[in-house]
Amino acid sequence: MNTLLKRSGLAVAVAGLCVTAGLSQASSHREAPFITEMPKVDGTDFYMFRSYETGRADFVTLIANYLPLQDAYGGPNYFDLDEDAIYEIHIDNSGNAQEDLTFRFRFTDTLNDIQIPVGDAGNEQMVSVPLKNIGDATAPGNVQLSQSYTVEVIRGDRRTGTVETVTNVDTGMGTFDKPLDNIGEKSFADYAAYADQHVFEMAIPGCGTNGRVFVGQRKEAFAVNLGEIFDLVNVNNPLGDRNVETNDLADKNVTSFALEVPTDCLTGTAVNADDQPIVGGWTTASVRQARVLNPAPQANGKGATVEGGAYTQVSRLGMPLVNEVVIGLKDKDLFNASEPKDDGQFATYVTHPTLPELIEILFSAAGAEAPNNFPRTDLVAAFLTGVPANSPVGVQASEMLRLNTAVAPTALDAQNDLGFVAGDSAGFPNGRRPYDDVVDVALRVAMGALVDGAPNQNTPFTDGVQLAADPATLSDEYESFPYLITPIPGAVN
């Protein structure tokens, strides 16, 4: 038996799950050819962790990020979501690689056509303005275009299961308002306070305790020297300090779907065990099968296309960067359209991963040498099935983020961004938190950190970028729901 398989289950999980994470810290931006054409439904990150906000330890937070690489100044339309698409977070609590619970989001645009008088006195014409707002965006009547959304919970198959509506506890209705993006400090004197008003208490049918929901723009929560990484890992020193490279995404925003759900609403029954605490999760986005362009679109883009047919999945994300640096280029669009239950078709990318070989080619002069225990059955066990400490009994091989909800959360100031590697059992790959730096773990483990006798078993590879060297220095916003911080304003007043 391979020495690695004799190690603890959690150590094996680190090995298998981290090799899928690739070189940049836990993101999946523009990872497949087709999704680059549809940024509004491009899933970038998925977080799943026991809530570590004070008093919320009985909840699990799920965060699905979409619409990557947002420049804060990207007006006048900014970054609305696609009202013709559906966005979903799936939970497998039985280990069969199929969703048992799905949270589905749909969006609706509301146009308040704002017109102002233009022309000589007594001969003015009322003309529609080109901007989203004409003054303080928090004041009534000043916003021209806004979005609201609904949340549905589906039990069973996402297309044929039982569908129920999640309600806004404050209003008793099934709709929630999405805040405008952070246009700038003249439009929003206090954007943080404005966004906080869009954190809603939600009543989930079938759950005895209410949860919380927020959908809106946030600042990117991960750090990576993105340009250098994809320029053949053009970093100054992959064996140097952990926080010396440029974070290319420090000035980017993203759109976050954040749910805080009672833990007992997510857990289910495993194949051979009752009330097991382990859940798997992944996100998707789907659009209508047919889309025809309208040569004479209506106001605000309504009628720009005619949508029809069944919903077709175009984005998928569980573990970070699987599609970006693990799946071969020819299969990237196929992976985005696939479901976990069919992941056997991608097994070769795990049994014979290319990432370690590429690192060896790029840094052989520095002593990089990839492990050669092929096929990588150790990685298959962890990547596709999990291990006893982090996997349901009888689990079907599949790719998704897994969380053992029985492990107590770690307070932010005590978290270690290397997760399990550093002994923080509540960190990646037991779910994933915003502070977790999967990239350094990935580089070390992919190159044999957990394989006895591997040439680079004790080599501290790094991409040179961290979210923060010390979690105590992070903004207080990272300590509470929705856990991602106020987005960068498009302009400073």
Side-chain angles (χ1 to χ4, degrees):
M1 179 180 291
N2 187 291
T3 302
L4 180 55
L5 293 179
K6 298 178 182 178
R7 292 174 174 267
S8 73
L10 296 178
V12 179
V14 173
L17 297 178
C18 288
V19 75
T20 70
L23 294 174
S24 61
Q25 183 179 331
S27 71
S28 187
H29 299 60
R30 296 172 53 82
E31 78 286 347
F34 184 56
I35 202 63
T36 63
E37 303 175 24
M38 312 176 75
K40 288 188 175 184
V41 289
D42 185 357
T44 68
D45 291 277
F46 179 48
Y47 303 92
M48 180 169 62
F49 54 92
R50 284 275 301 274
S51 297
Y52 49 85
E53 179 181 350
T54 302
R56 308 296 290 187
D58 291 335
F59 294 81
V60 170
T61 295
L62 310 167
I63 305 174
N65 285 350
Y66 290 88
L67 220 169
L69 305 175
Q70 297 178 17
D71 291 318
Y73 50 81
N77 294 298
Y78 297 95
F79 304 98
D80 288 338
L81 295 162
D82 187 348
E83 67 172 341
D84 293 316
I86 55 175
Y87 302 82
E88 295 174 315
I89 299 175
H90 309 284
I91 298 296
D92 171 17
N93 58 27
S94 59
N96 66 354
Q98 300 178 49
E99 64 274 8
D100 296 294
L101 198 67
T102 294
F103 295 96
R104 177 187 295 159
F105 298 78
R106 301 176 191 263
F107 291 83
T108 300
D109 294 345
T110 299
L111 176 65
N112 172 32
D113 183 27
I114 298 177
Q115 300 180 348
I116 60 175
V118 179
D120 296 332
N123 194 32
E124 302 97 336
Q125 294 189 46
M126 299 302 294
V127 183
S128 298
V129 302
L131 306 178
K132 280 196 171 181
N133 61 301
I134 62 169
D136 178 359
T138 65
N142 281 350
V143 174
Q144 180 165 225
L145 179 65
S146 60
Q147 287 194 307
S148 60
Y149 61 95
T150 61
V151 185
E152 296 170 316
V153 58
I154 301 101
R155 289 180 169 83
D157 184 273
R158 56 178 148 170
R159 298 293 179 258
T160 62
T162 302
V163 181
E164 296 178 281
T165 299
V166 173
T167 57
N168 185 326
V169 171
D170 291 337
T171 66
M173 306 296 289
T175 59
F176 304 84
D177 291 330
K178 175 184 174 293
L180 270 67
D181 294 334
N182 196 353
I183 295 169
E185 293 182 356
K186 189 172 184 179
S187 295
F188 295 99
D190 187 349
Y191 188 87
Y194 165 75
D196 284 346
Q197 295 173 4
H198 294 81
V199 174
F200 300 105
E201 186 177 358
M202 62 175 179
I204 308 170
C207 296
T209 304
N210 294 334
R212 291 187 288 184
V213 62
F214 170 86
V215 177
Q217 191 180 50
R218 298 277 90 185
K219 187 180 184 298
E220 278 281 19
F222 69 95
V224 59
N225 49 345
L226 194 64
E228 291 184 353
I229 288 299
F230 288 106
D231 182 25
L232 301 179
V233 199
N234 186 19
V235 297
N236 293 328
N237 184 2
L239 303 179
D241 294 333
R242 293 188 63 204
N243 201 19
V244 294
E245 296 283 351
T246 300
N247 175 17
D248 291 334
L249 301 183
D251 61 349
K252 305 297 183 185
N253 293 325
V254 73
T255 300
S256 300
F257 296 58
L259 290 171
E260 190 179 52
V261 182
T263 303
D264 58 9
C265 286
L266 297 181
T267 54
T269 302
V271 177
N272 296 310
D274 293 335
D275 300 322
Q276 60 85 23
I278 299 158
V279 297
W282 70 100
T283 72
T284 62
S286 302
V287 297
R288 292 290 190 183
Q289 198 169 46
R291 175 173 289 182
V292 179
L293 298 181
N294 185 348
Q298 303 298 311
N300 183 36
K302 290 183 182 299
T305 62
V306 178
E307 314 280 338
Y311 279 105
T312 301
Q313 182 180 306
V314 294
S315 179
R316 170 188 170 186
L317 181 62
M319 290 296 301
L321 273 175
V322 171
N323 205 2
E324 207 154 22
V325 298
V326 176
I327 304 299
L329 181 61
K330 70 182 180 68
D331 286 330
K332 287 180 181 295
D333 289 333
L334 176 62
F335 182 84
N336 266 350
S338 67
E339 299 180 40
K341 65 183 179 62
D342 299 318
D343 280 346
Q345 63 188 313
F346 304 116
T348 298
Y349 293 119
V350 181
T351 61
H352 293 74
T354 58
L355 173 60
E357 307 305 313
L358 291 173
I359 294 175
E360 178 178 324
I361 292 170
L362 295 168
F363 297 105
S364 59
E369 184 177 343
N372 289 312
N373 52 315
F374 299 112
R376 296 291 295 270
T377 54
D378 54 315
L379 302 184
V380 172
F383 172 48
L384 296 179
T385 65
V387 292
N390 202 35
S391 174
V393 177
V395 64
Q396 179 174 326
S398 57
E399 187 280 310
M400 63 182 71
L401 190 63
R402 292 185 172 90
L403 173 68
N404 187 339
T405 63
V407 177
T410 303
L412 177 63
D413 60 3
Q415 290 178 14
N416 192 300
D417 63 354
L418 295 178
F420 271 95
V421 169
D424 185 354
S425 60
F428 180 83
N430 183 22
R432 180 189 161 206
R433 306 164 302 192
Y435 184 57
D436 288 336
D437 181 1
V438 301
V439 63
D440 283 4
V441 179
L443 288 169
R444 299 173 194 192
V445 173
M447 295 305 293
L450 299 178
V451 179
D452 286 344
N456 291 131
Q457 182 178 6
N458 299 310
T459 304
F461 287 96
T462 178
D463 74 333
V465 175
Q466 292 177 278
L467 181 63
D470 181 354
T473 65
L474 291 172
S475 165
D476 291 344
E477 289 184 274
Y478 280 110
E479 294 187 280
S480 59
F481 187 84
Y483 293 98
L484 304 182
I485 69 175
T486 299
I488 300 167
V492 176
N493 186 17

